[in-house]
Amino acid sequence: MTAKEKKMRRDNESSVSEFLLLGLPIWTEKQGVYYSLFLVMYLTTVLGNLLIILLIRLDSCLHTPMYFFLSHLAFTDISYSSVTAPKMLMNMHTQSQSISYSGCISQVYFFLLFGCLDSFLLTSMAYDRYVAICHPLHYTTIMSQKLCFLLVTVSWVLSCTNALLHTLLLARLSFCGDNILPHFFCDLSTLLKLSSSDTTVNELIIVTVGAVVITLPFIYILVSYGLIGATTLKVPSTKGIGKALSTCGSHLSVVSLYYGAIIGLYFFPSYSESNDKDVIVAVFYSLVTPMLNPFIYSLRNRDMKGALGNVLSRGKFSP
């Protein structure tokens, strides 16, 4: 092949400069209603999780390992929703569907980063609850400040590594011709279907790394709560059972919402040609779950309600 032919082939196979996001599977005439709904949901997510972070910083009673992890989870939920929601809302408002190639790759990276970080933080919180209930006498010794910082640091490092690996593998693929994504953000699996390159390595990495990032943490959380349940049943008084359930209820609710949506998407895939189910499930775990977390932790958690009351009373009676 001559140099001229090689150049012509590269020109023909040049990657697209932008992608078109089809958005949510909703009727055009109802876009305004859904825009208002998702805007309220996003603002609720941001303000609610910011309130959790603020309460934990202001109330010294919440300066414990569990709430240390919760503050990081709240920050992660804000970031997780902010990766997709603002662009989706802007596209709905301006009726524009385009996103640049670099913007799409960046969105994939940060979506994977904060999604993975969510999983590891939920696992750290499960370990904290396991130690608190199954080994209460050694809790302060085991859950030291050093260990808490280490768990969060390792969570960040592993999440960044996972996101970077997938993003670099994605960046080497070619996208020729078709640039339409039937989604409201740059979803990794949807992009792989659109690529004109061989995606075998990408799919293999998704399966193997996904087992480490999602499956293993989920199994650990289930085992932790199994041990917590067994320990709780050994407590002779109903007071011990009630305390354990009130302590773990909020976390278990969040775990169920987060992993339930992911398991429904990846373990029970839709075999129809329509991508609507995947889009709806993605809305649930990227927008709905982060929004519900503040309500779960404030309504089901006595400490958070007490901290909110203390902050409000201080503000009311301050000179």
Side-chain angles (χ1 to χ4, degrees):
M1 185 181 290
T2 64
K4 184 177 180 180
E5 288 173 332
K6 289 181 179 178
K7 183 178 185 302
M8 290 177 64
R9 184 174 179 180
R10 283 197 301 269
D11 291 340
N12 290 334
E13 295 182 355
S14 59
S15 298
V16 297
S17 59
E18 66 177 16
F19 294 98
L20 297 178
L21 300 171
L22 293 186
L24 300 168
I26 55 178
W27 295 102
T28 306
E29 57 268 21
K30 294 184 178 180
Q31 283 251 351
V33 176
Y34 281 98
Y35 173 81
S36 302
L37 174 64
F38 286 117
L39 178 61
V40 170
M41 287 173 60
Y42 177 62
L43 291 176
T44 303
T45 300
V46 174
L47 296 175
N49 283 288
L50 280 176
L51 178 62
I52 287 178
I53 296 171
L54 183 65
L55 290 177
I56 292 173
R57 287 190 61 88
L58 292 178
D59 197 315
S60 58
C61 295
L62 300 181
H63 294 173
T64 62
M66 176 185 173
Y67 294 105
F68 172 76
F69 293 128
L70 178 57
S71 64
H72 282 272
L73 183 67
F75 170 77
T76 303
D77 283 337
I78 294 172
S79 304
Y80 195 37
S81 289
S82 298
V83 172
T84 58
K87 179 61 178 173
M88 180 189 72
L89 290 168
M90 186 179 74
N91 287 357
M92 292 176 71
H93 182 67
T94 62
Q95 300 297 314
S96 171
Q97 296 177 311
S98 64
I99 182 172
S100 66
Y101 175 82
S102 58
C104 191
I105 297 297
S106 300
Q107 193 176 58
V108 169
Y109 173 80
F110 286 108
F111 186 80
L112 293 173
L113 167 63
F114 292 113
C116 180
L117 187 57
D118 232 336
S119 178
F120 285 129
L121 288 174
L122 289 172
T123 308
S124 299
M125 293 173 74
Y127 177 70
D128 172 76
R129 293 300 83 205
Y130 163 73
V131 176
I133 294 174
C134 298
H135 304 282
L137 298 179
H138 304 286
Y139 178 74
T140 54
T141 304
I142 297 174
M143 297 304 299
S144 62
Q145 189 178 48
K146 182 179 179 180
L147 179 62
C148 293
F149 276 110
L150 179 63
L151 288 173
V152 170
T153 302
V154 170
S155 297
W156 272 97
V157 171
L158 291 177
S159 300
C160 289
T161 304
N162 171 65
L164 184 61
L165 175 62
H166 286 297
T167 306
L168 291 176
L169 289 173
L170 177 65
R172 72 179 181 85
L173 301 179
S174 298
F175 296 91
C176 308
D178 190 10
N179 67 336
I180 299 175
L181 289 172
H183 221 296
F184 66 94
F185 72 98
C186 291
D187 177 61
L188 178 59
S189 60
T190 308
L191 282 168
L192 293 183
K193 293 176 185 176
L194 199 65
S195 175
S196 55
S197 303
D198 182 14
T199 60
T200 305
V201 176
N202 300 71
E203 292 167 0
L204 181 63
I205 293 297
I206 287 175
V207 173
T208 53
V209 176
V212 177
V213 172
I214 299 296
T215 309
L216 289 181
F218 182 58
I219 291 173
Y220 178 82
I221 291 172
L222 290 179
V223 172
S224 296
Y225 274 99
L227 295 173
I228 288 172
T231 302
T232 303
L233 293 175
K234 294 177 184 178
V235 178
S237 64
T238 55
K239 183 179 179 181
I241 296 176
K243 184 178 180 181
L245 292 176
S246 65
T247 307
C248 301
S250 301
H251 179 246
L252 199 54
S253 300
V254 173
V255 168
S256 301
L257 287 171
Y258 180 76
Y259 286 102
I262 293 177
I263 290 171
L265 179 61
Y266 293 104
F267 288 84
F268 301 97
S270 175
Y271 294 100
S272 64
E273 294 183 3
S274 175
N275 199 53
D276 292 354
K277 178 207 167 188
D278 295 351
V279 175
I280 293 170
V281 174
V283 169
F284 189 83
Y285 69 73
S286 64
L287 295 175
V288 177
T289 302
M291 180 195 69
L292 293 177
N293 286 357
F295 293 101
I296 291 171
Y297 282 107
S298 61
L299 295 177
R300 293 180 60 90
N301 192 293
R302 192 177 304 167
D303 294 334
M304 290 297 295
K305 288 190 285 187
L308 180 60
N310 292 337
V311 171
L312 292 177
S313 61
R314 265 186 279 173
K316 184 177 180 180
F317 294 107
S318 58

